[in-house]
Amino acid sequence: MDNKTSTYLFSLCIFLFCIASKYTVTGQTGSCLTPDGTKICCFGCTGYLSTCLCSPNCHKHMQCCPDYQTVCHPVSTTSTTTTTSATTVEVPDPVTNPSIINVTQNSISLQWTLVSNVNLYQVLGGGLPPEGVITNTTSITIHELQSGVCYTFSIAGVARDGITVGPATEISTFTLPDPVTNTSIINVTQNSISLQWTLVSNVNLYQVLGGGLPPEGVITNTTSITIHELQSGVCYTFSIAGVARDGITVGPATEISTFTLPGNVTGLQATVVNKTYISVNWSAPFGDKSSYFVMMVGAPSTNITTTTERTVFSDVIPGTNYTISVYVMGKDNVSESGPVSKTIYVPIPSDWCASRPVNQCCHKPDNTCKSLSKTCSCDVSCPKSNSCCEDYFQLCHEKNY
């Protein structure tokens, strides 16, 4: 073999060795370059025909492709530009005008202004996985949150390379507290109502709105409240809601309604009419009512329900004390006021035998056996002369015969 041929073969071997060495380096564990030179650099990307990673978080898992650092060149969010082997990528501007557009007990919806040269956004924080979420819109709703808890989110634009992340903008808010439960009325008077409810988790303040309170309501740190200076006989509706620990975020309101007790009647009067009737009248109370319940206690005792401010009790017995009591029934037909009471004596008529202080009935004929008024007789002979007092037959006739 001559020298010229030997030199040619030696050069060919060197060339083939170099070519083989080049492809052995990038092909043993994968590459972030495809055979045509396209970079594979994005969140969750794997290398060409390999399981190694070309994702910005590959360092956490120790699975980066050998040429990841050279090909993808992740950049710090504090620098203004990043240079790769082929292009220069600008760091996105910060997200601006982040706002809370809706909040429930278990979700928060965020919105922000479009960032130029950005089509992806990274959202990190409250309730999300450590790596956050990527969205291609300028809004997002985060679900499965706890009620009444403060959550902070950071939002950043992601450059078109899918890797370069801009400065993060933070926003915080509370989810709504849970609704108040087990509301109840524990006491009612003519001018006050006392409410009570069950403690709500993650809440230490409650807002009470409604009947008789100022428009802004009142704030209490207990699970009960008494509202004073109300009108009698009026239906009041109150709403009760938990307030988050920021003192601003208010949960769903729970309503409860009831009537204050009706007012008492005034000016109660009772008059004996025609010896055996009692006429009763009064003035209506202030506020709403449905009816009056009037009770007479004596011999006999009885009661009447009426919607007017007057009534009459008949068949009362002269010589008897009666107590008249008037109750006012509320519009709900449950609440009642009172009673307002008055006692009246039904006198014995002077033309009755019962008006005689002694010996009301004379068992023998006696012209002097007269009533107190001396206008009628109470002796055994009065039936024949038709001069008997009105109560003679009831009081004396059975005794005489």
Side-chain angles (χ1 to χ4, degrees), residues 288-306:
D288 290 334
K289 65 186 182 307
S290 63
S291 61
Y292 301 99
F293 180 76
V294 189
M295 178 183 293
M296 183 179 74
V297 177
S301 295
T302 187
N303 59 74
I304 295 172
T305 298
T306 179

Side-chain angles (χ1 to χ4, degrees), residues 96-223:
T96 58
N97 301 318
S99 61
I100 310 296
I101 57 174
N102 190 51
V103 177
T104 71
Q105 296 154 243
N106 305 111
S107 70
I108 295 173
S109 297
L110 311 174
Q111 182 177 273
W112 55 91
T113 301
L114 186 73
V115 178
S116 60
N117 297 320
V118 160
N119 56 9
L120 293 176
Y121 299 89
Q122 182 186 54
V123 183
L124 300 170
L128 294 172
E131 67 273 16
V133 296
I134 299 296
T135 177
N136 60 358
T137 67
T138 57
S139 64
I140 189 172
T141 298
I142 299 93
H143 297 278
E144 298 182 5
L145 304 178
Q146 295 182 24
S147 59
V149 173
C150 182
Y151 288 94
T152 298
F153 301 95
S154 66
I155 311 164
V158 180
R160 296 185 185 277
D161 63 353
I163 302 168
T164 306
V165 180
T169 301
E170 288 192 346
I171 187 169
S172 299
T173 193
F174 278 77
T175 47
L176 299 184
D178 286 330
V180 167
T181 58
N182 299 320
T183 54
S184 61
I185 310 296
I186 57 175
N187 191 49
V188 178
T189 71
Q190 292 177 347
N191 305 109
S192 69
I193 296 173
S194 297
L195 310 174
Q196 183 175 272
W197 56 90
T198 300
L199 186 74
V200 178
S201 61
N202 297 322
V203 159
N204 55 11
L205 294 175
Y206 301 88
Q207 181 186 57
V208 183
L209 299 170
L213 295 173
E216 67 277 12
V218 295
I219 299 295
T220 177
N221 60 359
T222 66
T223 57

Side-chain angles (χ1 to χ4, degrees), residues 278-293:
I278 296 177
S279 175
V280 185
N281 62 82
W282 57 89
S283 297
F286 179 82
D288 290 334
K289 65 186 182 307
S290 63
S291 61
Y292 301 99
F293 180 76

Side-chain angles (χ1 to χ4, degrees), residues 387-399:
S387 61
C388 297
C389 294
E390 182 179 339
D391 64 337
Y392 174 79
F393 289 97
Q394 179 182 353
L395 182 66
C396 304
H397 190 263
E398 291 184 359
K399 297 179 182 178

Side-chain angles (χ1 to χ4, degrees), residues 311-363:
T311 192
V312 173
F313 291 100
S314 60
D315 299 325
V316 296
I317 299 174
T320 305
N321 283 313
Y322 291 94
T323 298
I324 311 295
S325 299
V326 181
Y327 298 81
V328 182
M329 305 303 296
K331 276 285 188 181
D332 57 356
N333 292 313
V334 176
S335 58
E336 66 177 37
S337 73
V340 174
S341 300
K342 189 177 186 68
T343 298
I344 185 172
Y345 174 72
V346 180
I348 298 173
S350 62
D351 59 350
W352 279 24
C353 296
S355 67
R356 292 170 54 81
V358 293
N359 299 325
Q360 295 172 337
C361 303
C362 300
H363 302 293

